[in-house]
Amino acid sequence: MSRHRFFSRGLLVLLLMLVGMAVVLASLASPMPNEAQALPLPNITLPTLPILQNPVVVSTSPHDGSADLPYDPVISATFSRTMDPSTMSWASFYLKKSDGTLVPSTLKYSTDGLGWYLYPVDPLEPGTTYVATLTSAAKGTNGLVLLGAPVTWSFTTISFTDVSLDNPYAVAISHLAAARVISGFADHSFRPGEPVKRMQFAKMIARIIGLQPTVNDVCPFGDVPSNLDANDPLYPDHYVAAAFTYGVTQGKTATTFAPYDPIKRFQLISMVVRALEKAAPGLLKTPPADYHSTWDPALSPDHGQNARLAEYNHLLSGIPLASLNPWDPMPRGEVAQVLNNIGG
């Protein structure tokens, strides 16, 4: 082998060795793909565990500042988490009059433990402001106290100058007035003993079953006036028209309604029965053959069976039927009771 060829081969070997060393050094300078590397930590806020959260009041009833409420309103609070029943008592949830007088009540709660309800033992007083309070004694099942305690909200009951709690229909009147089904008069009276006119009841029953009269409801009775209420331009003719079209009310003749006539008990009860049968078919249950109603159905072929049906279905509860004449005009207090029984 010539000296020149040997020298060339030696130079090639040397170059290969240098390249190999460079590769080894490069691999030592860089981490292997499976080697752990330190990365910058992101700015993370860890969530609060639910078990560590204080309960809060999500909603209340009545709404704070509510007015013209019935004498037995729903008084309740809904919480964000289940409350510990052992901490819920008069010390933690109570109702007082604005003068500080405690209102005796019972306390109940929903099955999920989120809703709590106060039930006053007696109806609340008319025209009175009440304050409901939740204190820090109320705790969640995690042992944490109510956030933001004390939590308070107030409301005022409706009032009429001539309706006291001694009136047997007081609670029913408050319900119907609060729902704007029956209103009082400009002098703040309700006049519970005053008879209800036929056109007045057409509006009441329409509101109860959710009829929505419009100007397109043209009254077929020529004796029904219009625009008697500045606050309700549909009264009374459009209400009468809607109730007639729906099959709830009837005229005295084909062209007359006698709108100013006091409505008789029998007549009013028939209108209620017809309204419910139309609005909620099947709601009224047929009484058994041996059921004896207070008023003899034979007293009226048109209304007797309707009254029997109404009594059997508790629509006449709270009214002393035995002492009343079904053909007498029905006063406003009794009407409020019947209409309130529909929702009861």
Side-chain angles (χ1 to χ4, degrees), residues 11-334:
L11 183 59
L12 177 62
V13 171
L14 180 60
L15 288 174
L16 290 175
M17 290 177 63
L18 290 174
V19 170
M21 291 178 64
V23 170
V24 170
L25 292 173
S27 65
L28 292 176
S30 301
M32 298 298 288
N34 61 349
E35 182 179 351
Q37 302 179 44
L39 298 175
L41 291 176
N43 185 16
I44 299 176
T45 302
L46 296 177
T48 303
L49 295 176
I51 197 172
L52 301 179
Q53 292 177 348
N54 294 70
V56 297
V57 175
V58 176
S59 63
T60 63
S61 179
H63 297 302
D64 186 36
S66 297
D68 293 339
L69 293 180
Y71 305 149
D72 57 346
V74 176
I75 305 167
S76 67
T78 302
F79 298 88
S80 61
R81 63 173 303 112
T82 304
M83 302 301 289
D84 181 355
S86 67
T87 69
M88 300 295 289
S89 65
W90 275 14
S92 57
F93 191 12
Y94 54 81
L95 183 70
K96 290 184 177 182
K97 293 170 60 176
S98 57
D99 63 6
T101 304
L102 184 67
V103 178
S105 308
T106 57
L107 185 60
K108 298 183 180 181
Y109 58 95
S110 58
T111 54
D112 60 8
L114 299 177
W116 288 79
Y117 306 85
L118 274 179
Y119 293 94
V121 174
D122 299 310
L124 302 181
E125 297 177 17
T128 303
T129 298
Y130 292 85
V131 180
T133 300
L134 282 159
T135 73
S136 58
K139 297 180 179 180
T141 50
N142 60 0
L144 297 183
V145 301
L146 177 65
L147 193 65
V151 177
T152 64
W153 64 101
S154 64
F155 59 89
T156 304
T157 52
I158 199 166
S159 177
F160 295 106
T161 57
D162 54 353
V163 179
S164 67
L165 291 179
D166 295 333
N167 189 302
Y169 308 121
V171 173
I173 290 171
S174 73
H175 269 273
L176 271 295
R180 304 295 189 267
V181 174
I182 296 179
S183 58
F185 295 89
D187 61 358
H188 303 292
S189 66
F190 184 80
R191 306 175 194 176
E194 184 174 291
V196 172
K197 297 179 176 64
R198 285 169 54 81
M199 62 182 176
Q200 291 173 332
F201 190 70
K203 179 177 180 177
M204 294 175 194
I205 196 62
R207 286 189 167 182
I208 281 289
I209 62 176
L211 286 182
Q212 300 291 335
T214 69
V215 293
N216 295 322
D217 292 301
V218 180
C219 189
F221 306 112
D223 59 344
V224 177
S226 60
N227 297 318
L228 292 186
D229 186 346
N231 297 317
D232 188 353
L234 300 177
Y235 177 77
D237 54 333
H238 298 295
Y239 282 99
V240 172
F244 174 76
T245 302
Y246 197 67
V248 172
T249 188
Q250 299 174 353
K252 287 286 188 175
T253 69
T255 58
T256 62
F257 185 75
Y260 292 95
D261 283 3
I263 189 168
K264 308 297 186 3
R265 292 188 178 96
F266 259 159
Q267 296 170 338
L268 185 142
I269 293 168
S270 281
M271 287 180 66
V272 169
V273 168
R274 287 195 294 264
L276 292 180
E277 287 179 334
K278 294 281 290 186
L283 176 67
L284 300 180
K285 305 304 179 184
T286 302
D290 60 353
Y291 176 73
H292 296 285
S293 56
T294 303
W295 292 335
D296 184 357
L299 290 173
S300 172
D302 296 323
H303 309 293
Q305 288 297 334
N306 285 335
R308 180 172 178 267
L309 181 63
E311 185 177 0
Y312 179 75
N313 285 275
H314 310 293
L315 296 178
L316 307 182
S317 297
I319 297 177
L321 299 176
S323 62
L324 300 175
N325 185 335
W327 288 112
D328 281 346
M330 199 168 200
R332 288 165 58 83
E334 290 181 25

